[in-house]
Amino acid sequence: MCPSVSHRHPSNGDPSRPRPRMYSPDLTPPWKKSRPVPEVAAEPGLVVEEPGSGFCGAVIRCEAGTVTLEDRFGKHRVFPLQPRGFLLEGEVVTLVRPSAGPARPTRTASGSVAVPGARARVARAGRIYVEGRHDAELVEKVWGDDLRIEGVVVEYLEGVDDLPAIVEEFAPGPDARLGVLVDHLVPGSKESRVAEAVTSEYALVVGHPYIDVWEAVKPSSLGIPSWPRVPRGQDWKTGVCRALGWPENTGAAWQHILSRVRSYKDLEPALLGRVEELIDFVTAPEER
């Protein structure tokens, strides 16, 4: 036989005696208890504030025991990782070192908010034209994620001499805007005259002042003091390689330059503003 189960009251076996109350050893009223502070991984791009100094910036690096923030002026500050040490959207948090696994970027190379898993949009009828292959590769490296989401295709022209005929054939319109990025667009230049000839309501030509898009990469990103001055009559790219002591292989030189570009921070503002302007122009809402 199975042993019988006794349903006895816990009060010493006497059901007539009252059950004793159980008290928690913590007698602190609930409204006086401090809420647990959430832990947040210090992923690159996370914007927080260090309340002691008021310094607000994005995480750019997290190492053992410290986190480095960068504010909107590009200034860096290093702070210790300590409990309740930062504010995230006004709330106190504890920053912790991210896990060793690969972290998804929170920003694209252009500085836009990243959209993980977003599919490329079907290509628009509008286009952005750039002068050469190097220009196209640089735009792709920095703005590629944004352009795919917007459905903007970038093509290169191999110079601007035939731009008027190309624009005429493209036939820009309200549902097919055309943006063109030109090198060395300075007053009185050949490029400026071509730009004036083709600019219209639905075709926008903008440019940077540099002889070649190479110069739009900051010298500091390449570890050089400045871009060298190349005497007139010399091929500019070959002259640059010669002056910097690089092998006179412009293709290899460009791949080296491009490899040092990691984000918009490696580019001069004179180029950044023009590319953003073209993207805004080409993606403007269609007129109805």
Side-chain angles (χ1 to χ4, degrees):
M1 294 180 62
C2 294
S4 61
V5 179
S6 175
H7 297 283
R8 299 175 65 185
H9 196 279
S11 302
N12 296 325
D14 184 355
S16 65
R17 294 182 63 182
R19 187 185 183 104
R21 293 184 179 182
M22 303 299 293
Y23 291 95
S24 167
D26 183 3
L27 301 180
T28 306
W31 61 88
K32 288 189 176 181
K33 292 182 178 180
S34 59
R35 292 184 299 171
V37 175
E39 292 187 347
V40 178
E43 301 283 4
L46 181 73
V47 178
V48 295
E49 178 184 346
E50 198 284 315
S53 62
F55 189 90
C56 182
V59 174
I60 61 169
R61 188 180 307 110
C62 186
E63 300 169 329
T66 66
V67 61
T68 303
L69 304 182
E70 180 184 65
D71 70 7
R72 61 192 181 95
F73 302 107
K75 183 179 180 181
H76 291 185
R77 290 279 298 274
V78 180
F79 296 99
L81 289 175
Q82 55 188 5
R84 306 172 65 91
F86 297 88
L87 297 177
L88 175 62
E89 297 181 352
E91 298 292 330
V92 176
V93 297
T94 296
L95 289 187
V96 296
R97 195 174 183 181
S99 61
R104 289 181 172 178
T106 56
R107 297 277 176 179
T108 67
S110 71
S112 301
V113 176
V115 185
R119 293 185 177 182
R121 175 175 172 166
V122 175
R124 297 172 180 265
R127 291 286 189 275
I128 291 178
Y129 288 166
V130 297
E131 279 208 48
R133 181 168 59 85
H134 293 180
D135 306 71
E137 290 175 345
L138 186 60
V139 169
E140 161 61 28
K141 184 157 189 181
V142 176
W143 288 273
D145 290 338
D146 304 342
L147 293 169
R148 279 183 283 279
I149 290 176
E150 296 289 351
V152 177
V153 175
V154 175
E155 301 179 12
Y156 63 90
L157 302 168
E158 292 291 1
V160 296
D161 291 342
D162 297 326
L163 186 57
I166 292 171
V167 173
E168 183 177 2
E169 181 180 358
F170 185 88
D175 59 346
R177 292 168 172 257
L178 178 62
V180 183
L181 179 68
V182 177
D183 296 342
H184 199 230
L185 189 61
V186 295
S189 65
K190 174 189 69 175
E191 290 81 5
S192 66
R193 293 190 292 272
V194 172
E196 291 173 3
V198 302
T199 297
S200 67
E201 183 179 3
Y202 302 116
L204 175 65
V205 181
V206 299
H208 55 74
Y210 309 114
I211 295 174
D212 190 274
V213 77
W214 288 21
E215 279 192 292
V217 178
K218 291 180 178 178
S220 58
S221 297
L222 297 170
I224 60 176
S226 62
W227 285 101
R229 299 178 66 87
V230 177
R232 280 183 169 274
Q234 289 189 24
D235 177 73
W236 188 83
K237 293 177 181 176
T238 303
V240 166
C241 292
R242 187 177 299 127
L244 293 176
W246 296 348
E248 294 181 21
N249 181 332
T250 58
W254 169 244
Q255 291 306 313
H256 167 68
I257 294 167
L258 189 62
S259 71
R260 303 301 294 269
V261 176
R262 297 173 180 83
S263 75
Y264 71 97
K265 297 176 183 179
D266 296 305
L267 302 181
E268 298 288 359
L271 176 67
L272 294 174
R274 302 295 73 74
V275 175
E276 297 285 352
E277 185 179 357
L278 289 178
I279 294 174
D280 291 343
F281 178 78
V282 172
T283 59
E286 297 178 6
E287 297 180 356
R288 299 297 182 188

